[in-house]
Amino acid sequence: MIYPIVKYGNPVLDTPAATITEFDTPELHQLIGDMFESMMAAKGVGLAAPQIGISRRIAVIDISCGENPADKLILINPEIIRNEGSQTCEEGCLSLPGFRENVRRGKRTTVRAQNLKGEWFEITGDDLLARALQHETDHLAGKLYITHVSMLKRDLIRRKVKKLQKAGEWA
Ligand code: NI
């Protein structure tokens, strides 16, 4: 099932998500399948469960946008254990359509996470993958990428979104 993407302004995006304690259940398999489907439909490279209104610590990433099955990544209860170097790139988010900002992030990132069976593993990514790992882990802590831009830029985005909400173009 394809879920609609929750947009900036919805409190679920600002709420730290709940840790997953039950693994390998049909319900968890279904949810992760739905997350990949929803991410593909929205043409994203990453999706966190709060973005479909589910406040649980699950994220999916596919930096190949469906081109390479080996790039499909499931992260349950992920935590960043290493961040090295720095990169500054334009970043966007499915929950903030139409906006992009330069964000400074680590260039190489290692995350520790659980898989569908609850087994812990580590993944290290560079550049775009490093950025996606940091962006999605942030989502699960209730943080959007705009928490990394200046207050001035963040206020500007907030005001623009308010206008769109008033015009009924942001639901
Ligand atoms: Ni995002």
Side-chain angles (χ1 to χ4, degrees), residues 1-5 30-31 34-35 37-38 41 51-54:
M1 149 181 187
I2 295 171
Y3 285 85
I5 306 292
Q30 176 75 43
L31 175 57
D34 289 347
M35 284 177 67
E37 223 182 303
S38 305
Q51 293 183 278
I52 55 166
I54 296 171

Side-chain angles (χ1 to χ4, degrees), residues 5-92:
I5 306 292
V6 168
K7 292 203 181 113
Y8 170 67
N10 187 313
V12 73
L13 296 174
D14 304 320
T15 308
T19 300
I20 302 296
T21 52
E22 274 186 73
F23 295 88
D24 219 11
T25 60
E27 188 244 340
L28 190 60
H29 281 265
Q30 176 75 43
L31 175 57
I32 284 167
D34 289 347
M35 284 177 67
F36 274 111
E37 223 182 303
S38 305
M39 177 177 75
M40 293 297 159
K43 296 187 168 33
V45 297
L47 182 79
Q51 293 183 278
I52 55 166
I54 296 171
S55 193
R56 299 170 75 185
R57 287 181 62 206
I58 308 170
V60 296
I61 291 174
D62 181 357
I63 56 166
S64 79
C65 278
E67 294 297 312
N68 181 11
D71 281 342
K72 282 175 106 180
L73 209 56
I74 298 164
L75 304 168
I76 302 178
N77 300 328
E79 46 196 75
I80 291 171
I81 54 172
R82 246 186 331 274
N83 231 340
E84 296 160 278
S86 88
Q87 55 168 327
T88 302
C89 282
E90 249 195 9
E91 199 165 314

Side-chain angles (χ1 to χ4, degrees), residues 101-120:
E101 291 293 337
N102 274 321
V103 179
R104 190 176 160 181
R105 300 264 194 197
K107 189 169 169 59
R108 164 171 283 193
T109 301
T110 303
V111 162
R112 183 174 175 265
Q114 282 168 288
N115 64 17
L116 263 166
K117 292 192 165 143
E119 298 156 344
W120 288 95

Side-chain angles (χ1 to χ4, degrees), residues 110-160:
T110 303
V111 162
R112 183 174 175 265
Q114 282 168 288
N115 64 17
L116 263 166
K117 292 192 165 143
E119 298 156 344
W120 288 95
F121 66 97
E122 278 183 26
I123 171 129
T124 299
D126 295 298
D127 305 311
L128 177 59
L129 180 54
R131 178 168 292 281
L133 289 168
Q134 293 166 81
H135 181 113
E136 300 313 326
T137 308
D138 269 357
H139 269 300
L140 302 181
K143 277 168 72 178
L144 295 178
Y145 77 89
I146 53 167
T147 57
H148 299 288
V149 306
S150 70
M151 212 190 287
L152 200 74
K153 280 184 178 160
R154 201 155 59 233
D155 278 344
L156 195 64
I157 291 171
R158 197 176 292 144
R159 283 207 297 274
K160 282 184 181 165

